[in-house]
Amino acid sequence: MTETARHSEPRYGNRPTMKDVAARAGVGLKTVSRVVNSEPGVTPDTERRVQEAIEALGFRRNDSARVLRKGRTASIGLVLEDLADPFYGPLSRAVEEVARAHGALLINGSSAEDPEREQELVLALCARRVDGLIVIPAGDDHRYLEPELKAGVATVFVDRPAGRIDADTVLSDSFGGAREGVAHLIAHGHRRIGFIGDQPRIHTATERLRGYHAAMADAGTQVMDSWVSLGSTEPGRVRAATERMLSGPDPVTAVFAGNNRVTVTVVRVLAGQERRIALVGFDDIELADLLGITVVSQDAAAAGRTAAEQLFRRLDGAGHPPARVVLPTRLVPRGSGELPPS
C-alpha cells in the first residue's frame, strides 16, 4: 500500500480536535476556544483563519466539557410506545418544534409497549445527561425514576399517568371521549354495543372501558360479558373478538373500537359482513374521512406541545406541585357511527 493510499483512508473515531485547528490556523488553543464559543477578543482576520481551519478539518465542537461546566446538555428525551403508530407522529413533531424553539435537541426511542424496555431507554437517556424527559409509559411502576427526578431531570408523562410517583402528566379525556362515542351510538338506536380495547393494564384502555360502561348505564342497558373484549391489538386477536361479537344468539349491532389499531382491524372485518354494523373508533385513522369512519378524535399535537411546554417551564425553574392536564376529545361523525341497527 502506498503512503498516499494510507493517508486517504478515513480515520474512523479520530475526530479533529481544537489542537488540530490551532495548529492549522497558526494560533493558540485559547483563541480557537474563543472562536468556537463565540467569545470576544479575536480579530476578524484571526477569526477568519480559525473558521477556515475548522471547515477544512471538519471540526465539530465536543460539548462534553460544556455540559460539565453548565450542567445542561440542551437535549431532551422522548420515549414513545411505538414509532410506527400514527398517533405518535404529530405528538413527536410537536415536541420537536417546542424543543427547537428552546434551542434543544430531541432524542427519541420506542418502548414497544414493554415496561422493561421503557426503563432501559429512560435510564440510558438519563445516563447521556438529557435535561428532561417526556414519557408515554408502558409500565405502571416508575419508582426507578426517583433518583433521576431528585437529581433534577425534569419529566412529563403523556397519554398515561406515571405509576407510583407524582409527576407532571398530560392526558386526553379517554373516559369522556368513550362515553360520548358510545352515547352517540345509543342515540342512533343501538343497545347491543360491543367494546374492543387494548390490554387492561393500560390506563387509556381501562378509562375508555369505564366510559363505555358509563354510557351504557346512562341508557339503562345491561352489558353482556360477550360484548367486551380487552387484550392485544394484534389483528388476529381483534378479528376473532369482533367475529365472536357479531355471531351467536345475541350479536351486537354496533362496535366501539378502543384505539386506532383496533379500528383498522374492525373495519376490515365489517367490510366482509352482510349486515351493516355501526362503528365508532377512538383515535383517527388514515383515510377515515374517505371511508366514512366516525371517530372520537384526540389532538396528539396538542398533547405533545403541552407536555413539551410544561417540561421547559420545569427546566426554567417552575417549582409548583406536579400538574395534571386533561385535554378534551372531539366526536367526528362521518357515517359509520350514524347507521341504525339492522
Side-chain angles (χ1 to χ4, degrees):
M1 183 182 294
T2 66
E3 190 69 19
T4 303
R6 276 198 299 270
H7 283 300
S8 67
E9 291 177 356
R11 299 186 303 154
Y12 296 116
N14 296 322
R15 297 180 179 178
T17 66
M18 284 206 294
K19 286 184 179 180
D20 297 326
V21 174
R24 186 179 182 96
V27 299
L29 198 58
K30 182 61 178 176
T31 300
V32 175
S33 176
R34 284 174 175 160
V35 173
V36 167
N37 293 298
S38 302
E39 296 174 357
V42 183
T43 66
D45 181 64
T46 300
E47 182 177 0
R48 177 185 55 77
R49 295 207 321 272
V50 172
Q51 292 290 5
E52 287 175 352
I54 287 172
E55 185 175 345
L57 292 170
F59 170 79
R60 294 292 181 271
R61 181 176 64 188
N62 185 340
D63 282 339
S64 298
R66 298 177 74 247
V67 170
L68 293 173
R69 185 168 68 250
K70 298 185 177 182
R72 292 279 288 269
T73 63
S75 63
I76 63 171
L78 172 61
V79 177
L80 302 166
E81 176 205 339
D82 182 356
L83 292 171
D85 189 321
F87 174 75
Y88 296 119
L91 187 151
S92 179
R93 282 196 300 273
V95 172
E96 188 170 22
E97 287 170 5
V98 175
R100 184 179 180 185
H102 285 81
L105 176 70
L106 176 66
I107 306 169
N108 60 30
S110 171
S111 69
E113 202 63 76
D114 181 345
E116 289 186 7
R117 184 167 174 178
E118 173 211 303
Q119 182 172 339
E120 289 174 3
L121 267 173
V122 167
L123 295 180
L125 289 166
C126 291
R128 284 158 178 76
R129 300 188 62 144
V130 295
D131 299 320
L133 291 165
I134 295 176
V135 180
I136 290 89
D140 56 7
D141 187 349
H142 293 91
R143 287 176 296 176
Y144 71 84
L145 257 173
E146 287 178 341
E148 310 301 333
L149 296 173
K150 289 176 182 176
V153 179
T155 305
V156 179
F157 287 80
V158 186
D159 194 41
R160 309 161 187 173
R164 306 184 74 174
I165 64 170
D166 290 327
D168 290 316
T169 306
V170 178
L171 307 172
S172 292
D173 186 7
S174 285
F175 169 79
R179 189 176 193 172
E180 182 181 18
V182 175
H184 185 73
L185 291 168
I186 291 169
H188 285 81
H190 297 276
R191 292 299 180 270
R192 299 199 305 273
I193 303 170
F195 178 93
I196 305 176
D198 211 329
Q199 301 181 64
R201 64 178 175 80
I202 296 174
H203 171 81
T204 49
T206 58
E207 282 296 285
R208 291 166 195 175
L209 177 61
R210 196 166 67 86
Y212 163 83
H213 279 295
M216 297 293 272
D218 290 342
T221 300
Q222 184 176 358
V223 175
M224 306 284 288
D225 290 343
S226 60
W227 297 351
V228 175
S229 178
L230 296 181
S232 163
T233 57
E234 192 273 325
R237 200 286 300 183
V238 175
R239 173 176 289 276
T242 308
E243 290 173 347
R244 280 196 302 270
M245 290 182 187
L246 297 176
S247 60
D250 205 22
V252 299
T253 62
V255 175
F256 185 84
N259 67 26
N260 53 5
R261 285 165 292 184
V262 172
T263 301
V264 169
T265 301
V266 172
V267 167
R268 288 177 173 149
V269 174
L270 297 187
Q273 297 291 312
E274 292 183 5
R275 288 189 298 136
R276 298 188 72 194
I277 307 296
L279 170 66
V280 174
F282 202 109
D283 288 343
D284 223 333
I285 62 172
E286 190 174 3
L287 302 181
D289 54 339
L290 295 178
L291 295 172
I293 308 300
T294 298
V295 299
V296 174
S297 177
Q298 52 181 336
D299 193 336
R305 184 168 54 252
T306 302
E309 289 170 348
Q310 174 63 3
L311 184 73
F312 281 99
R313 280 194 291 270
R314 289 295 187 194
L315 291 173
D316 289 339
H320 55 78
R324 183 185 180 100
V325 177
V326 180
L327 302 175
T329 58
R330 182 171 61 97
L331 181 73
V332 184
R334 296 188 179 121
S336 71
E338 294 70 57
L339 295 173
S342 60

